[in-house]
Amino acid sequence: MIASLHQEDVNKWFSDWLPGRDGEELSFESKDLPEAFKDKLFNFDDVTFKKKSDGPTNIRVEKDLYKVLCPVIQNVFDLAAHRSSGNADYDALHIKDTSVWKEESDYLQCPDLSIHRTSAAEAFCLDDKSKKNVVDAHKCFVGRTAYSWTLLPGEIKVDKSKEGFGTTPTLDLPDTDDARQTRGQFAEYVTEILSRQHRRFTFAFYIYRNLARLFVVDRVAAVMTPPFDYIKTPMTLLKFFYRLAEADAWGLGYDPTAVLASPSDISILRDHKLNHGAIQTFINDAVDGALNHDLVSLWPLYKVEVCDHKLKKKSYFLIGKPRTPGPSMFGRATKGFVAFDLVEHDFVWLKDSWRVVSEHSHPEWEVYERLKSSNVQNIATIRCGGDVHDCTIQSTSSQDLITGCRLKGRIHSRLVINEIGFPLETYETSFELIFIVLSAFIAHEQAWKKAHVLHRDISKNNMLILHGKNGTRGLLIDWDLCKYEDEVNARTATNVNRSGTWQFISALRLQYPKKYYEVADDIESFVHVITWHALRYHHHDLLGMEDSFTIFVHDMFLQCSTSPEGLLYGCHRKWESMRSGEAGFKLISDEKLQKVIDKLMRICKSHYQSLNLDELEKFRPPSIREAVTAPEGQNGSKGPSELRKQDLGSLLAIISAASVDDNHTHSDGTGPGSTTTYCGRTLDNHTHIFEVLVGAIQDSDGWSKETKPIDRDYFAKLLDVNLTAGRRTIVGTQSHTTSSQKRSRPPQVPENKKTKWSRTSRSGARAVGGNATSTSELAAVSEEDDVDCLAAADDGVIEDLQGEMQVGSALIAHQHPDEALSLDEK
């Protein structure tokens, strides 16, 4: 098991993370304070926690403790500012009670306390009306939540049932729903700050009654102190806030290669912002908020530096609100931005992520260069890319503090590509869906045959629609989890739960989680991408049966359990579908797409029937084998003819070349589109899937003329809808779902309709309901935390997790990827 939570002695924690100045001797005794501070409070001597007492410093509810903490913390900040009064660049700190004042966005969670700098004060301002129910003495401390400007968050608890981290010196997290909810709230604050800002790490603090813990979180782990009594001995807590106030931006975890855009840079952007065709809406979404609200924007404009790994040349780009925010606490934490090149004065795509340090991992720019040199088509083109440098390469350090596990360090990197594509789900007709998937499939085949590269993360988010001057085509992107052919042929698994996005991982790997990765696993994922979209956006016979539809989608794509060994497995209906060759649903008004799906399923059936199941048993422990049981157009008329002729022509030219280069032959000699009887391991190469997709594109007659409405999403109408937003946070936590997450969330099975799956946790406890989306805690992922999924576990630790946000109170699930059920990290 890999636990991403480490507890460290208080003195060592300060030494490692917040050392203060050399020779510093702190004292908050009146005799050692400046005259102006001698009468100010720097302790909590009179604070009590008595339910029936009404004394001025008796704490009965959380807001009582806010009123005690805020003045003392602000006194510390003011003292630090007083002692730095000769420093013209000093930017003082302020504490705000933001517990009930959400920012002007759809994000629901508000940190109890937030710390910010004076320069960002305007972002936290509240009008007088919002303060009307606040006592006068506390009004100066209340403010709205502003994650883009929050230095660090604090979580406060008074209710004994809601204590989330334990009160003993040993790491022993409480195992209750309330405790999990507390950890979920705390984790979301940290996650949101790391998502919104350009940070290497962030600090945080947690207070339960008279006990406090200090945290620092980077992209690998969270390092915290044991609980200490800040009322009896306030020095530790006061020292924490004082050292925060005197620390520079680097010591607080800020990235010096990302700075707020200057007025001159913003002026250049304004001059070049308009008239960019199809991507104009993306540009507007990325920068308009910052341009209209200046420094108080929820998504301010930053000037970021990209150092090209080959030329060692630095380039500069303006970025604002991310198109894909990468909401993960640990792992790659990929953020995707529509970026403005300050030299070329055009818009590009900038990918910011934390790549794993591993001999089995290849920097993405290296992979793209390999693909380009092999003339692989339908891939993105690099402008520049490399690891992020300041004085040294930016990397994590928490992994070095945690002994006895295999956590790997991460390096901060940026990649800039020329193309800005549209998500696959923005396709308009079923013909276009197949057209784009085929484009990506050709890229995948050429990458394997010509460049000897296997993608290993085929998902809907890694296929883009590119509307360019030369027409429309599909791109296969995000190669950062790929392996080279010699590594694939070694047939060894580099980590236990490996790469992929859970909904699209092959059924074989979901049933035999220790199996090495094969080409067939990637090829099968293309089939799941097509069936996912057919279910989500097209009329079919499961509509109108809401309960059945919800259960079907859950068991086919989302269900995940954890074995006692910490292995993730699930989606047994997908396994049965592959073996039977039946998709499990029928499209009502799209006969051509249905035929494509039927043929693809027959290909999969042949492959699965050829498997040696006895041989495969070595790839899963008996516990999984014992646990697994079978689970119970109206808006237009744009058809294939309206795709620009040059689009179809250019793709067919690639098809023709691919057919010659790769020596495709029709298995029955009759050509694509014919009725074929498949036999053998049909997914071991691209031939059969290629024939079906090519045949469907070449035979353009009979496709549905219906244009998919932009707002159609049958998953959004299912019962008790849930979205896994890709939050990797504290295991077994609860939290809320943002409105933006709700818009594209996949289904959750209602409590009384769940398929019953028995599993045993690593602690030996039994649980029912492999659906981690609402009933379970999360499992550990290993090494590269590459899997996008839901998981279940009972370990009281912070791990590489995938967070699952359920409306009201859902368990935050676990795992890396940075999006699971529907939005992985792109």
Side-chain angles (χ1 to χ4, degrees):
M1 180 193 73
I2 296 182
S4 293
L5 177 63
H6 176 64
Q7 186 166 281
E8 191 172 58
D9 173 76
V10 170
N11 292 329
K12 189 174 188 309
W13 188 93
F14 275 109
S15 176
D16 287 339
W17 298 101
L18 204 56
R21 296 172 180 170
D22 292 340
E24 176 188 61
E25 293 185 8
L26 286 178
S27 171
F28 297 95
E29 298 291 335
S30 178
K31 62 183 178 61
D32 298 321
L33 294 173
E35 191 64 33
F37 289 85
K38 288 186 179 296
D39 295 330
K40 293 194 174 183
L41 190 65
F42 288 93
N43 61 64
F44 307 93
D45 290 347
D46 297 328
V47 174
T48 58
F49 296 89
K50 298 178 180 179
K51 287 186 177 180
K52 297 183 179 181
S53 175
D54 291 324
T57 55
N58 181 63
I59 310 302
R60 293 180 298 170
V61 293
E62 284 183 20
K63 66 180 181 180
D64 295 335
L65 194 49
Y66 305 158
K67 297 171 186 176
V68 169
L69 290 168
C70 286
V72 175
I73 295 171
Q74 191 59 53
N75 287 342
V76 175
F77 292 157
D78 292 344
L79 176 62
H82 174 81
R83 290 174 172 168
S84 300
S85 57
N87 182 357
D89 296 328
Y90 188 79
D91 200 359
L93 300 189
H94 298 271
I95 184 76
K96 283 290 187 289
D97 170 0
T98 53
S99 57
V100 296
W101 294 276
K102 66 180 182 179
E103 62 184 3
E104 296 173 359
S105 73
D106 54 8
Y107 195 74
L108 301 179
Q109 292 282 41
C110 299
D112 293 336
L113 300 179
S114 299
I115 293 173
H116 69 85
R117 292 199 177 279
T118 300
S119 57
E122 189 175 352
F124 293 82
C125 286
L126 284 172
D127 56 32
D128 291 338
K129 182 179 179 180
S130 300
K131 299 180 183 181
K132 66 178 182 180
N133 295 323
V134 180
V135 297
D136 289 343
H138 195 60
K139 283 183 177 179
C140 63
F141 293 113
V142 298
R144 73 161 184 168
T145 300
Y147 280 108
S148 293
W149 304 99
T150 299
L151 178 64
L152 72 152
E155 173 71 359
I156 314 298
K157 292 297 178 189
V158 172
D159 191 327
K160 291 182 179 180
S161 67
K162 295 183 178 180
E163 203 294 300
F165 289 93
T167 59
T168 63
T170 58
L171 180 57
D172 185 18
L173 301 189
D175 184 21
T176 66
D177 286 345
D178 284 342
R180 285 188 286 272
Q181 185 175 26
T182 294
R183 297 196 292 271
Q185 291 173 346
F186 183 79
E188 283 210 48
Y189 308 151
V190 173
T191 299
E192 197 67 16
I193 287 174
L194 291 175
S195 174
R196 298 284 192 96
Q197 301 180 27
H198 300 276
R199 301 285 288 268
R200 297 158 31 248
F201 60 82
T202 187
F203 292 102
F205 63 97
Y206 171 78
I207 292 177
Y208 165 66
R209 296 172 72 87
N210 64 312
L211 299 177
R213 289 181 185 266
L214 309 178
F215 286 79
V216 63
V217 183
D218 66 13
R219 295 304 185 175
V220 171
V223 182
M224 71 177 183
T225 67
F228 56 87
D229 192 325
Y230 67 93
I231 292 180
K232 290 183 179 179
T233 54
M235 183 62 189
T236 300
L237 190 63
L238 300 181
K239 180 169 70 172
F240 171 67
F241 292 115
Y242 191 91
R243 289 189 175 179
L244 285 176
E246 69 174 9
D248 59 15
W250 175 262
L252 293 172
Y254 286 93
D255 174 6
T257 68
V259 297
L260 287 172
S262 68
S264 60
D265 291 333
I266 294 175
S267 177
I268 296 173
L269 172 63
R270 287 185 189 275
D271 291 342
H272 295 83
K273 174 181 172 287
L274 300 176
N275 304 318
H276 294 279
I279 65 169
Q280 187 64 53
T281 55
F282 293 169
I283 295 171
N284 295 344
D285 185 59
V287 304
D288 277 1
L291 294 178
N292 294 336
H293 297 94
D294 200 24
L295 290 181
V296 297
S297 169
L298 300 179
W299 295 100
L301 287 173
Y302 281 86
K303 178 181 179 179
V304 298
E305 174 186 295
V306 179
C307 183
D308 190 77
H309 75 290
K310 181 181 291 185
L311 301 176
K312 307 303 179 185
K313 173 186 174 183
K314 294 182 179 180
S315 301
Y316 296 91
F317 302 85
L318 293 186
I319 58 175
K321 180 181 179 181
R323 184 73 190 161
T324 52
S328 58
M329 189 160 75
F330 305 131
R332 286 175 291 170
T334 304
K335 304 176 191 177
F337 299 87
V338 173
F340 178 69
D341 190 324
L342 283 167
V343 174
E344 299 297 331
H345 294 171
D346 60 352
F347 287 90
V348 292
W349 184 259
L350 188 149
K351 177 179 176 179
D352 183 288
S353 64
W354 289 78
R355 66 181 184 88
V356 72
V357 180
S358 169
E359 60 181 344
H360 302 290
S361 178
H362 306 286
E364 194 170 8
W365 51 84
E366 171 194 291
V367 179
Y368 270 112
E369 289 170 354
R370 180 167 176 154
L371 297 174
K372 181 180 178 182
S373 65
S374 299
N375 296 316
V376 175
Q377 295 167 290
N378 297 337
I379 60 170
T381 52
I382 286 186
R383 178 163 299 191
C384 56
D387 292 326
V388 176
H389 292 70
D390 26 73
C391 51
T392 59
I393 293 178
Q394 289 186 17
S395 59
T396 59
S397 56
S398 61
Q399 71 280 351
D400 298 329
L401 303 174
I402 305 176
T403 59
C405 68
R406 297 180 297 163
L407 283 174
K408 292 183 177 180
R410 291 186 175 271
I411 293 176
H412 193 190
S413 63
R414 292 191 179 113
L415 177 74
V416 178
I417 61 176
N418 292 330
E419 296 86 0
I420 299 175
F422 285 71
L424 177 59
E425 56 260 36
T426 62
Y427 70 90
E428 293 188 319
T429 66
S430 55
F431 178 87
E432 187 175 359
L433 169 65
I434 299 302
F435 180 91
I436 299 303
V437 171
L438 176 56
S439 298
F441 192 79
I442 289 171
H444 186 274
E445 179 179 31
Q446 291 186 357
W448 179 243
K449 295 290 183 63
K450 295 180 178 181
H452 311 290
V453 174
L454 187 63
H455 191 279
R456 298 195 334 128
D457 188 16
I458 299 302
S459 72
K460 71 178 186 66
N461 286 344
N462 288 337
M463 301 179 199
L464 294 182
I465 304 174
L466 184 64
H467 301 294
K469 295 179 180 179
N470 298 321
T472 298
R473 62 189 174 106
L475 296 181
L476 182 60
I477 63 167
D478 281 10
W479 295 81
D480 47 350
L481 297 184
C482 76
K483 299 295 183 191
Y484 296 158
E485 185 174 14
D486 57 339
E487 297 167 329
V488 175
N489 290 340
R491 295 195 167 190
T492 57
T494 59
N495 50 331
V496 180
N497 294 307
R498 292 146 312 214
S499 66
T501 302
W502 188 259
Q503 308 95 297
F504 310 111
I505 292 176
S506 71
L508 193 59
R509 289 179 60 224
L510 294 180
Q511 293 299 306
Y512 300 93
K514 298 174 72 175
K515 186 187 81 71
Y516 50 81
Y517 207 104
E518 298 178 275
V519 176
D521 296 309
D522 258 14
I523 293 176
E524 181 184 325
S525 293
F526 281 94
V527 177
H528 299 313
V529 168
I530 293 173
T531 55
W532 171 273
H533 286 86
L535 277 167
R536 188 163 188 170
Y537 299 113
H538 296 265
H539 295 288
H540 51 77
D541 60 357
L542 295 180
L543 298 175
M545 299 182 291
E546 202 167 57
D547 288 9
S548 298
F549 184 25
T550 304
I551 295 170
F552 179 87
V553 176
H554 170 266
D555 292 349
M556 177 71 81
F557 293 109
L558 310 180
Q559 187 273 327
C560 181
S561 299
T562 308
S563 75
E565 299 81 8
L567 298 173
L568 305 178
Y569 67 97
C571 299
H572 193 75
R573 187 183 291 275
K574 182 186 290 186
W575 168 260
E576 293 299 328
S577 181
M578 293 293 100
R579 296 192 68 197
S580 68
E582 297 292 336
F585 65 93
K586 292 292 182 182
L587 297 176
I588 294 174
S589 59
D590 202 328
E591 182 180 354
K592 197 64 176 285
L593 180 58
Q594 182 66 54
K595 287 182 178 179
V596 170
I597 292 173
D598 289 343
K599 291 176 183 178
L600 295 176
M601 294 306 300
R602 289 203 300 271
I603 293 171
C604 293
K605 176 182 179 180
S606 173
H607 184 87
Y608 272 73
Q609 288 187 338
S610 300
L611 298 174
N612 186 331
L613 299 186
D614 292 335
E615 179 67 19
L616 285 169
E617 284 303 323
K618 65 184 179 183
F619 295 118
R620 66 175 175 180
S623 58
I624 295 181
R625 183 171 61 253
E626 294 167 2
V628 170
T629 55
E632 299 170 310
Q634 58 274 33
N635 292 339
S637 59
K638 180 177 177 181
S641 61
E642 293 191 35
L643 271 174
R644 289 169 52 173
K645 291 184 178 179
Q646 60 265 42
D647 302 342
L648 185 55
S650 61
L651 182 61
L652 292 178
I654 296 175
I655 291 171
S656 177
S659 299
V660 174
D661 294 344
D662 300 317
N663 195 29
H664 286 291
T665 57
H666 304 307
S667 54
D668 64 352
T670 61
S674 61
T675 301
T676 304
T677 301
Y678 299 102
C679 61
R681 293 176 57 100
T682 46
L683 298 179
D684 282 346
N685 59 65
H686 296 76
T687 298
H688 303 288
I689 301 293
F690 181 87
E691 288 178 0
V692 171
L693 299 182
V694 169
I697 292 298
Q698 290 178 332
D699 181 14
S700 60
D701 294 333
W703 284 94
S704 171
K705 301 295 184 181
E706 180 189 26
T707 299
K708 175 172 66 69
I710 192 171
D711 59 347
R712 177 191 291 169
D713 183 353
Y714 292 126
F715 287 179
K717 300 176 182 178
L718 299 182
L719 295 177
D720 197 13
V721 173
N722 188 332
L723 170 67
T724 293
R727 307 270 176 169
R728 297 176 50 247
T729 173
I730 298 179
V731 69
T733 55
Q734 295 180 358
S735 78
H736 302 284
T737 306
T738 71
S739 298
S740 60
Q741 293 161 5
K742 296 173 191 175
R743 283 193 286 270
S744 56
R745 57 192 175 187
Q748 176 183 336
V749 177
E751 189 69 35
N752 63 340
K753 297 293 184 180
K754 291 172 188 168
T755 304
K756 299 303 180 182
W757 300 77
S758 176
R759 68 176 175 85
T760 305
S761 73
R762 284 189 291 280
S763 61
R766 297 295 294 178
V768 175
N771 173 22
T773 59
S774 63
T775 59
S776 313
E777 292 192 35
L778 284 187
V781 241
S782 50
E783 284 193 38
E784 299 175 27
D785 65 359
D786 286 336
V787 183
D788 290 342
C789 71
L790 293 182
D794 296 304
D795 303 278
V797 293
I798 294 183
E799 316 207 16
D800 288 2
L801 320 155
Q802 178 63 35
E804 153 141 323
M805 317 311 186
Q806 177 180 348
V807 180
S809 60
L811 297 183
I812 285 193
H814 146 153
Q815 252 329 76
H816 158 205
D818 306 291
E819 171 218 322
L821 298 186
S822 74
L823 304 167
D824 58 32
E825 54 173 10
K826 306 308 164 215

